[in-house]
């Protein structure tokens, strides 16, 4: 069975450009999480969805970040406009039912904003 | 909110020796403590977890211990092998209020052949 799928794996863009990261959760999983990993701040939860509905977006850094989950098999994290400090590895994870279930992480997207 | 501290940040051990990584947490309501292993270029993968109704859990060469009174938990890897080299993260979660996982800052474990 395929795990969590993320695309692209690497993204290099220039400051001010829009960036869209994509995630396909494990089939049948009802919760989806977006994390950001940096050396300075470690692994931080940005937002999580349950049954396609955003439950907690308190970790979203600012209005430049937005996330959507139009259906059970797809989610996007968008940064507009991007800034150099957004450079990080962004992970998507999914769990079977809720935030209290085991989370399975994707391989991540390494974002570099020049 | 929850605060999780993890030590050491780096750890090198000889192959075959044991490795111990320690974490402390601040929220006494936390009751779920997973450990994740992250290999280079990959996402974190759950390797073992413990809930607050038990003090120790083992899975082959890996064990986790929990001391709720002191609010700390530890990962023990015995008979270490080169493939154990990775970054390990502890995490904690409460079932009350904010239920999200709070991660430690990670330990880079290197097994010396």
């Amino acid at each position: 069975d395929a795990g969590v799928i993320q695309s692209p794996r690497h993204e290099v863009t220039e400051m001010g450009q829009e960036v869209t990261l994509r995630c396909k959760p494990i089939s049948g999983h009802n919760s989806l999480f977006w994390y950001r990993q940096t050396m300075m701040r470690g692994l931080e939860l940005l937002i999580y969805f349950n049954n396609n509905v955003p439950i907690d977006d308190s970790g979203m850094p600012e209005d430049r970040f937005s996330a959507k989950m139009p259906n059970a098999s797809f989610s996007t994290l968008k940064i507009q406009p991007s800034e150099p400090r957004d450079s990080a590895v962004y992970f998507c994870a999914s769990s079977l039912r809720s935030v209290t279930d085991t989370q399975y992480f994707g391989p991540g997207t390494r974002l570099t904003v020049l | 909110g929850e605060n999780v501290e993890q030590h050491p940040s780096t750890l090198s051990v000889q192959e075959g020796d044991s490795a111990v990584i320690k974490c402390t947490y601040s929220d006494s309501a936390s009751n779920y403590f997973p450990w994740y292993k992250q290999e280079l270029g990959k996402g974190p993968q759950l390797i073992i977890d413990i809930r607050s109704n038990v003090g120790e859990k083992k899975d082959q060469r890996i064990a986790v211990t929990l001391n709720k009174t002191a609010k700390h938990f530890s990962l023990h890897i015995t008979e270490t092998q080169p493939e154990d080299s990775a970054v390990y993260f502890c995490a904690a979660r409460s079932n009350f209020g904010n239920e999200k996982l709070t991660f430690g800052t990670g330990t880079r474990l290197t097994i010396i052949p």
Side-chain angles (χ1 to χ4, degrees):
Chain A
D1 187 20
V4 175
I5 299 172
Q6 290 186 247
S7 65
R9 294 294 312 275
H10 302 273
E11 177 79 37
V12 180
T13 191
E14 292 189 347
M15 183 173 63
Q17 296 298 306
E18 177 180 297
V19 175
T20 299
L21 311 181
R22 297 173 176 79
C23 175
K24 176 179 170 56
I26 294 172
S27 177
H29 281 196
N30 292 328
S31 287
L32 183 140
F33 310 81
W34 282 101
Y35 287 88
R36 178 172 66 177
Q37 186 176 44
T38 61
M39 289 295 294
M40 290 298 295
R41 301 175 65 90
L43 202 57
E44 305 174 279
L45 178 67
L46 301 178
I47 185 171
Y48 82 88
F49 295 83
N50 184 257
N51 291 322
N52 312 338
V53 176
I55 303 300
D56 183 351
D57 64 355
S58 60
M60 295 286 264
E62 45 196 276
D63 292 346
R64 297 184 298 107
F65 286 68
S66 63
K68 293 182 180 179
M69 192 164 186
N71 57 61
S73 59
F74 183 66
S75 177
T76 59
L77 177 68
K78 186 176 294 187
I79 309 172
Q80 167 62 23
S82 58
E83 296 181 3
R85 60 193 168 120
D86 301 330
S87 297
V89 181
Y90 291 81
F91 289 103
C92 177
S94 70
S95 69
L96 185 60
R97 289 179 298 269
S98 71
V99 68
T100 58
D101 290 322
T102 299
Q103 295 179 26
Y104 297 87
F105 283 75
T109 295
R110 180 173 295 277
L111 173 64
T112 302
V113 183
L114 303 175
Chain B
E2 177 67 277
N3 182 50
V4 177
E5 295 189 357
Q6 183 172 347
H7 300 282
S9 57
T10 61
L11 178 62
S12 295
V13 301
Q14 290 291 138
E15 182 178 353
D17 288 351
S18 295
V20 180
I21 302 170
K22 299 181 179 182
C23 288
T24 60
Y25 60 98
S26 60
D27 187 350
S28 57
S30 288
N31 61 0
Y32 175 64
F33 309 92
W35 285 88
Y36 283 81
K37 175 183 181 182
Q38 185 176 19
E39 297 177 326
L40 193 63
K42 297 183 179 180
Q45 301 298 317
L46 180 73
I47 55 172
I48 195 168
D49 57 14
I50 191 168
R51 298 181 190 273
S52 61
N53 56 339
V54 295
E56 183 176 2
K57 183 177 178 180
K58 282 186 179 180
D59 183 3
Q60 300 182 337
R61 298 186 295 108
I62 294 173
V64 57
T65 58
L66 170 65
N67 183 328
K68 285 222 74 181
T69 302
K71 290 191 282 189
H72 67 70
F73 56 113
S74 301
L75 178 71
H76 304 252
I77 306 174
T78 59
E79 301 173 15
T80 53
Q81 301 168 3
E83 54 265 36
D84 295 330
S85 294
V87 179
Y88 292 81
F89 292 92
C90 63
R93 187 189 65 222
S94 170
N95 276 350
F96 298 97
N98 187 339
E99 295 182 328
K100 61 187 182 185
L101 280 177
T102 300
F103 285 84
T105 50
T107 296
R108 182 174 297 279
L109 174 64
T110 302
I111 307 303
I112 304 167

